[in-house]
Each structure stands twice: as C-alpha cells, then as structure tokens.
Amino acid sequence: MSLLRLTFLGTSAAQPTLHRNLSGLAVKADADLLLFDCGEGSQRQMVRFGTGFTVDAVFFTHFHADHYLGIIGFLRTLGMMGRAQPMRLYGPPPAKRLLHQAVHLGLESLAFPVEIIEVKDGDVVRRDGYAIHAVGVDHRINALAYALVEDDRPGRFNLEKARALGVPEGPSFGKLQKGETVTLPDGRQVRPEDVLGAARPGRRLVISGDTRPCASVVRAAKDADLLVHESTFSDDEQERALETRHSTAREAGRVAREAGARRLVLTHLSSRHDTDPARLLAQAREEFKGPAEVAFDGFTVELPLRD
C-alpha cells in the first residue's frame, strides 16, 4: 500500500453547526475507499471535498444517531448512481438490527447487496495489504475504536548484492522484491533474504470514535503514525465529559502521549468550540509534545510511508 489519506467529512459532536457537519471520515487506502461513521449529510460532504463514492466498506464506531443516520441517504444515492457491487457495513451490536432498518427504509429496494457484519473487541477485518482491528472503548453504549494496520513492507532491495549473485536484471528483481525465490540459469537459487534488508514496519492509524480515555486505545495507538481522538470538551467541562462518557482535549493529548503516537488530530468538537478550538488545542499540547492539530471539515491528512 502506498497511499493512505484521510479526509474529514464531519467534525462536530451531537449536532451539526454552520461550519461543521456530523461525524464522518473517509480513508483512501490505495484503491480502497473506506468510511468511518456516516453522520447526516456525509454524502454531500463527499461531493464537496471530492472523495468520490466508490466506497468499499463502512465501519461504524457506535450507533448514536449522529454517527450513522447518514447511511440511509448515502446508500440510496449509490443506488441511483447504478452501483452493482456489494457493500459491507461493519459495526458493534446492535448493528444488524439498526442497519437492517436503515437499508430497508422506504418503498424501493436497493439494487445492490448489502452485507451487515457485527464486530467486537479483538475482531480483525483483513483487506489487501492491511487489516482493520476493532478495539473496545468506554462510551455510554457499545462502541469501538478502529486501528488500520498496514502489513510490514519488504526490506530495501540491495542491487549490488543481487548483481554479485548473478541475478539477471528484469523480472527476477521484481520476484525477489515480492518475496519469491529465483532460480538462476546455472541452477542456483537466490532467496529474498539474500538481497533484501530487514522488513520495514507498516503504518498504523487509530480512530478513537466516542470514548472516555481508556487503556485499550493507548495500546492500539502504540507508536501509531496518527491517532484521531475525540475531544468534545475542554478542561472546564470535565464533569460533563464524565457524565456523557466523552473526552476532553487534554485527555486526548494524554492518551497520545502514553501511547507514544507520532501525531494527534482532535475531532468531534462540542458546538461551543465550533469556530474557536484554540483552547482545546492548547490543552492537548500541554500533554502531548508531538505534532497536534484540530480537524475541520475538509481537513486532509496523508500519511507518508515509514523509512
């Protein structure tokens, strides 16, 4: 996988504002396009920010209305666009009951199959070149974070070693880089480990969903390239954060620090921080000294390959 790009479709908590839509995040992973949550208006945000509609799967963190009601219109739009390939929807229980209602709302049936798959803490969804790990979190209802973990990449190809071993340039080089053993014209075999350096770790992206700060997210975000963490409230709203099982920006920063994450992006902002999230960012930065930003609708992050 070479491309890993995030586009924030909605960054507001509970209700939309003039500037921020409800929760939604589009992740482009090479040829795949994934959605994480689909609040009302997400499909318009996809048009607005140019993500395209060729979505392969949708992962729901939980089923509070502001995180999933947008799937109703989104699926209908896909049907009007002539989609034929299946769509997979993942989420914690009661995903099957709630999403079945959403899929079958209205008088017309969808022209493409929709598969609803319930996932729980520890479940892994394999994709081509990466996996999505479900992580249980601490919210008022059954909820998940998700960790997108890229497969390790082969080590760097040592051209000098390959030539010294008599490997002919061309397809044989490619086979070795893919992990295949090559047989030379004289019958000798050259293995990938003969010409490749140590495997290079893949990237790790963690999306917290709605949660109190919890050890499970810290573990999932260990050495993550990016932690996207909810930061609904500021320090003076700590009591409200506890009551609603959400996080403050300071707590999000603390999670990133304890995990050793490389970068932090705050999202899911209360409407009182809609146009001026500077206080949230300052509080998070008091805990986490790495790069930290507050997301806004249309904010795009592209994660580079690790060396």
Side-chain angles (χ1 to χ4, degrees), residues 36-88:
F36 290 87
D37 287 333
C38 189
E40 293 174 82
S42 289
Q43 60 176 325
R44 182 179 180 275
Q45 299 292 81
M46 295 171 76
V47 174
R48 183 181 177 193
F49 303 126
T51 63
F53 279 80
T54 56
V55 173
D56 296 277
V58 184
F59 292 83
F60 295 94
T61 60
H62 65 294
F63 291 101
H64 278 144
D66 56 314
H67 287 257
Y68 86 98
L69 286 185
I71 195 65
I72 298 171
F74 175 66
L75 292 175
R76 297 293 162 179
T77 294
L78 293 182
M80 293 176 64
M81 296 172 69
R83 183 182 178 112
Q85 65 268 38
M87 169 70 76
R88 288 182 174 174

Side-chain angles (χ1 to χ4, degrees), residues 111-122:
F112 57 93
V114 175
E115 184 178 3
I116 301 169
I117 303 164
E118 289 189 345
V119 289
K120 62 184 184 303
D121 178 46

Side-chain angles (χ1 to χ4, degrees), residues 100-113:
H100 178 83
Q101 294 171 352
V103 169
H104 295 283
L105 184 67
L107 299 176
E108 297 181 356
S109 299
L110 290 172
F112 57 93

Side-chain angles (χ1 to χ4, degrees), residues 61 135 137-138 143-146 206-212 214 217 227-231 247 255 267-268:
T61 60
V135 180
V137 296
D138 177 8
L144 295 171
Y146 290 103
V206 175
I207 300 161
S208 76
D210 287 10
T211 182
R212 289 290 298 146
C214 55
V217 174
L227 169 62
V228 177
H229 202 288
E230 72 123 296
S231 57
S247 296
V255 169
T267 189
H268 198 267

Side-chain angles (χ1 to χ4, degrees), residues 9 21 31 46 103 113 116 127 132 180 182 189 235 246 249 270 275 290 295:
L9 304 175
N21 200 61
M46 295 171 76
V103 169
I116 301 169
R127 306 284 301 179
I132 307 290
E180 301 174 20
V182 169
Q189 288 192 327
D235 284 352
H246 283 293
S270 167
T275 58

Side-chain angles (χ1 to χ4, degrees), residues 134-162:
V135 180
V137 296
D138 177 8
H139 194 40
R140 285 173 290 164
I141 62 173
N142 195 13
L144 295 171
Y146 290 103
L148 186 157
V149 182
E150 184 182 24
D151 295 348
D152 285 349
R153 294 181 296 130
R156 296 189 182 280
F157 184 73
N158 190 317
L159 180 62
E160 290 72 22
K161 278 189 177 181

Side-chain angles (χ1 to χ4, degrees), residues 13 17 28 39 71 90 101 104 135 137 150 166 169 174 188 192 197 218 226 234 239 243 247 252 260 265 287 294 302:
T17 70
K28 184 69 172 171
I71 195 65
Y90 297 89
Q101 294 171 352
H104 295 283
V135 180
V137 296
E150 184 182 24
E169 296 191 28
R188 288 183 298 119
V218 172
L226 175 62
S234 61
E239 185 175 339
E243 176 188 352
S247 296
V265 172
E287 298 289 335
V294 177
E302 192 162 321

